[in-house]
Structure formats: C-alpha cells, structure tokens
Amino acid sequence: MSSLQILDVSKQYGQTEILKKINIDIDDGEFLVLVGPSGCGKSTLLSMIAGLDTVSSGDIRIGAQRVNDLHPSKRDIAMVFQSYALYPNMSVEQNISFGMEMRGVPKDERAKAVKEVARMLQMESLLSRRPGQLSGGQRQRVAMGRALVRKPKIFLFDEPLSNLDAKLRVDMRTEIKKLHQRLGATIVYVTHDQIEAMTLATRIAVMKGGELQQLGTPAEVYNTPNTIFVATFIGSPSMNLVPSRLERDGDAGGLALLVSGVDGAAPLRVALPPQSAAVQAYAGRELIAGLRPEAIGNGNLVKSASTREVRAVVEVTEPTGPDTLTLLRLAGHEVTARLAADADYRAGQEAEFTIDLAKLVLFDRDSERRIC
C-alpha cells in the first residue's frame, strides 16, 4: 500500500474551472471518502488520481513519486466502477483473473490469487457463473475481486453502491469496511451519500463547487462543521439552523442567544455557557445558530451546566424504532429533535424540551463559516 498526496490540484476545461487548488494528504492505509453533491468535482479528482484525466496544475504523488504524467497502467492503482464493467462472455473466475493474464502472470499464480480473493469475498460458489447470472451485489463483489487480485498501492472506488437497493447497499458497505480492516488498504472512495461517507471513512473530504469545504474525521466533520454547507450536507436529519443574535447577558461578561421569532411567535432568549473569545467578539451581531437533532431532547438528555429548558410546539412525530424524530416549532422556526423512542406527543401540543448548548455551533451570517 502507499500514501497519496494531492497538492494544489486544479482542473479547467477551457474557461470553466472544475477543481480549485485541492490539497489532501492521505496516509498509508487510510480510507478517504470524497463526498459532495453531483457536479462538485469528486469524480473528476478520482479520474485524475487514476490517470484517466489530466491535471491542469498542481501535483499528485503516490508514495514519493509524482505521477501527473505517468500512464494509468504504471500507477499501480485498481479501480472499482459504479457500472461494474465486467466482461459478459467470461465467467467470474475469468473476469477476476483476466488482468493478471494480460500481465503474463503464470496460470498457477492466477488460480491461487483467484481462490484467495473468492474466499475473502465469500463467492467461491460463483466462480463458474457469468455476470448475467449474478445479482447486483454479486457483480459488485466480482468487480472488487478483480481489483483485489492486483494487490495495488491504492484502491479507487467510484460510487460502487449507487446501483444497489437500500438493504444491499448496507450489506455491501459492511463488506467494504471489513475488507479495509482486513487488508489495511489505502482507499479513495467517491460517493454522494453522506451516510456511506460517515460509516466507511477514516477521513472525509467534503466538496462543493470544485472546492474542498472540509477535511477531517467523521466526528470532526459532523460535530464541528466548517461551513453551513457541511452542517446541512452531513447528518441525517441535517443540523438545525436558526437566525439569531448574540447579546450580552448581565455584568459578568455572559452571553445570551436571542432566537428571532417568526410567523408571529415571540423571540426566544437562551443564556449561554462560557464562550470563546472568538464568539465573545460577535456580541451584538446577527449570526446563525446550529444544533444537531440529538442535542434537543425530552428527558433522554443528561442535564448539566450546558443544558437549558425551552418550550416548543410539536408539529409532526416520526417513530423510527430506536428513537422518535419530532418536528418542532421553536420561536416559530421549524427544528427537528431526536427524542426517546417512547416519546408520546400529539400535533399542536406545546411542551418543554431540553437543549444541550455544549453541542451548539455558531456560524457567521455572511461568510457562512463556523465561528467556534
């Protein structure tokens, strides 16, 4: 396996800028997920790592080697595509071993490698079948097996699960994670599905409009999003965002958050726990306050110095089994709370809820970047 460096990489098609000075450092054995909406440039970046597209400026390094001008066949990379790209007239065994045959690997070595990979992916019984006789999940396993027998420096996955149904996606996600843990492989994985990103990655690169919005562990990206875009793109349901104002609270240098009232509702004033100097500097200014749904509870949150009680009106409840997603009206704003599974509310009911301000994230209203 090998490390990967993406240094100030940009891509233009004519006057159109697709990628803008992307910098990502990937250690040997990491699982990096490139995530973002369609058209953000993640697949273009993957193609440039693979050598299927050229770099307009910047460098791509695999290990210590600059590979910008290196032919794809010389980069020692294996790619798993969204479309599987299997040969329909070949058996599973032939599909897996075909690349090795083209490289002149002896027959007995090919057979040994295919047997090892088939056992790893639990598809020994499928080796004599052709792709047309396989399910979507089985075809994806074959595509992964073809990549695995090469034992490359880096694996590239281009939205490999997007053609599968919901249950199969979950099963294959687990298989890919097990595979990474077993092999310690360096993997770069492209998806638009933020749940795939959160569950698979050791680090996530969130992209938008050709720019890197944030690079961090799943916990960092989820709990301390750099921008409002990251806050809303990562997490299901996404982070609640409400326009607010930061005000001085008393003579001891405290702060309060004044949530502006809408649709005739009264504003909501909430005293904040001690804040950083960066937040203190925003006293008297408008900003955007963010809270994840699980930071709003009805008795399922442990009360502490950072929790506060607020009143809100219930609009909709959605039991999910382990918890209940509840749409509330807080100072007239719609917010989603993740409540206890036994939460029992009716539409229109006003009740008291707990918010955990230790999980509060504040954003600059104009730049949409995180303040703290």
Side-chain angles (χ1 to χ4, degrees), residues 136-184:
Q138 289 169 335
R139 291 178 195 176
Q140 193 55 271
R141 285 173 188 263
V142 177
M144 288 166 57
R146 184 176 53 192
L148 285 170
V149 291
R150 291 189 52 193
K151 297 183 178 177
K153 291 180 179 176
I154 297 173
F155 290 96
L156 305 180
F157 287 78
D158 188 10
E159 302 205 46
L161 309 185
S162 59
N163 289 336
L164 306 180
D165 62 48
K167 184 182 184 305
L168 200 48
R169 275 202 305 274
V170 173
D171 293 342
M172 287 303 298
R173 221 167 53 208
T174 303
E175 289 303 317
I176 291 172
K177 188 148 191 173
K178 285 180 182 176
L179 192 64
H180 177 250
Q181 291 171 345
R182 191 182 302 128
L183 297 178

Side-chain angles (χ1 to χ4, degrees), residues 256-326:
L257 195 68
L258 184 68
V259 179
S260 57
V262 293
D263 296 336
L268 175 67
R269 186 182 179 87
V270 182
L272 298 181
Q275 298 292 312
S276 66
V279 174
Q280 293 276 350
Y282 270 77
R285 296 172 61 179
E286 306 288 331
L287 41 68
I288 304 295
L291 267 183
R292 292 287 182 192
E294 58 270 22
I296 306 173
N298 65 327
N300 54 335
L301 294 182
V302 177
K303 295 189 178 182
S304 68
S306 64
T307 58
R308 304 286 185 271
E309 305 303 313
V310 297
R311 295 194 70 79
V313 177
V314 175
E315 290 217 324
V316 176
T317 60
E318 298 177 345
T320 65
D323 49 35
T324 301
L325 297 178
T326 306

Side-chain angles (χ1 to χ4, degrees), residues 30 44 55-56 73-74 122 155 159 185 239 250 252 318:
E30 271 203 275
T44 300
V55 176
S56 298
S73 64
K74 305 295 184 185
Q122 299 176 16
F155 290 96
E159 302 205 46
M239 180 177 282
E318 298 177 345

Side-chain angles (χ1 to χ4, degrees), residues 335-348:
V335 299
T336 301
R338 194 183 296 276
L339 306 182
D342 59 356
D344 184 19
Y345 296 100
R346 65 181 185 278

Side-chain angles (χ1 to χ4, degrees), residues 58-69:
D59 284 338
I60 295 177
R61 295 181 177 273
I62 296 175
Q65 184 180 19
R66 181 179 181 272
V67 298
N68 291 40
D69 303 315

